[in-house]
Amino acid sequence: GENVEQHPSTLSVQEGDSAVIKCTYSDSASNYFPWYKQELGKRPQLIIDIRSNVGEKKDQRIAVTLNKTAKHFSLHITETQPEDSAVYFCAAPPNAGGTSYGKLTFGQGTILTVHP
Amino acid sequence: DGGITQSPKYLFRKEGQNVTLSCEQNLNHDAMYWYRQDPGQGLRLIYYSQIVNDFQKGDIAEGYSVSREKKESFPLTVTSAQKNPTAFYLCASSRAGPQHFGDGTRLSIL
């Protein structure tokens, strides 16, 4: 099955700085990689995802990069703001199975704190 | 997402008691999932269902049971066999797309 490792477990930055969270996965056939943001006591919400046929995807201040050879993908947040403070989770399918969506294996999460 | 409703928001269980957590979705999603979240840990899959009347065990199914009699509903029962049930339980659904989550149920032991 898929093994997803996420680093760092905690990340503290000053407002306006960039934040980078990295995940590695074990199944080379995995082809879909979402990132979720979870604020305290609330549901995880999808913030960005990437499929294996592209190397980078951007959405305003958020970007995800994928290195299939090295089997890792990263979340980049630029110009961080205090409201970016939350727990961020990466995920990958436990096996490709010919589909991009379905069961996911989640990373352990990164607690991001943005100081004003 | 407003289309996935979990209830109750808080639930307390006595020793030896079974409790059932509700998850309803009106998104017409085929697949539904149950996750357990413990402090400082990621989401761990308990059970999932891809179609009505069919479900599969996830990574931590022991002490839990589910049913999928209707497309809209995927209740989770935490049985007395689950010795450490205190956690935040999240339900999710998907249909040829990313998973969307409900607001969760926080279960505690009295």
Side-chain angles (χ1 to χ4, degrees):
Chain A
E2 181 75 275
N3 185 38
V4 178
E5 297 287 336
Q6 183 173 345
H7 298 281
S9 57
T10 60
L11 180 58
S12 184
V13 300
Q14 290 296 127
E15 183 176 2
D17 288 349
S18 295
V20 181
I21 303 169
K22 182 177 175 179
C23 286
T24 60
Y25 60 97
S26 58
D27 187 348
S28 58
S30 292
N31 55 11
Y32 172 67
F33 307 94
W35 283 92
Y36 286 85
K37 174 184 180 182
Q38 186 180 28
E39 297 177 5
L40 189 63
K42 296 191 176 181
R43 71 178 80 190
Q45 293 196 304
L46 180 74
I47 55 172
I48 196 167
D49 55 12
I50 192 168
R51 297 185 61 170
S52 59
N53 57 346
V54 297
E56 183 176 7
K57 183 177 178 181
K58 287 184 179 179
D59 183 4
Q60 299 181 354
R61 296 187 296 110
I62 294 172
V64 56
T65 58
L66 172 64
N67 184 325
K68 289 181 63 181
T69 302
K71 291 190 286 186
H72 66 72
F73 57 109
S74 299
L75 177 70
H76 304 255
I77 306 174
T78 59
E79 301 173 25
T80 54
Q81 302 166 3
E83 49 265 39
D84 293 331
S85 297
V87 182
Y88 291 82
F89 293 98
C90 62
N95 51 70
T99 178
S100 298
Y101 302 110
K103 200 169 75 165
L104 293 172
T105 297
F106 284 81
Q108 297 85 348
T110 296
I111 302 172
L112 174 64
T113 305
V114 181
H115 299 282
Chain B
D1 296 342
I4 303 174
T5 302
Q6 289 189 243
S7 62
K9 189 169 184 177
Y10 299 97
L11 186 59
F12 298 91
R13 195 191 87 170
K14 295 179 181 179
E15 293 289 339
Q17 184 182 46
N18 293 354
V19 292
T20 297
L21 285 61
S22 170
C23 179
E24 303 277 333
Q25 53 96 2
N26 61 5
L27 302 169
N28 198 33
H29 285 175
D30 297 305
M32 297 186 74
Y33 313 82
W34 274 106
Y35 293 92
R36 170 178 172 142
Q37 187 174 29
D38 294 285
Q41 296 192 35
L43 283 66
R44 292 185 290 168
L45 184 64
I46 304 172
Y47 269 98
Y48 66 104
S49 168
Q50 294 180 314
I51 57 172
V52 175
N53 292 323
D54 187 48
F55 49 82
Q56 287 80 40
K57 293 181 179 180
D59 300 318
I60 55 166
E62 185 174 352
Y64 301 96
S65 65
V66 293
S67 62
R68 187 84 187 277
E69 298 177 1
K70 299 187 298 182
K71 187 175 186 177
E72 304 79 18
S73 179
F74 191 40
L76 173 74
T77 296
V78 184
T79 74
S80 57
Q82 172 51 244
K83 298 306 179 188
N84 185 23
T86 298
F88 188 50
Y89 291 87
L90 286 159
C91 177
S93 69
S94 68
R95 182 185 183 189
Q99 292 184 24
H100 299 268
F101 287 85
D103 284 330
T105 292
R106 193 166 298 278
L107 176 62
S108 302
I109 300 300
L110 288 177

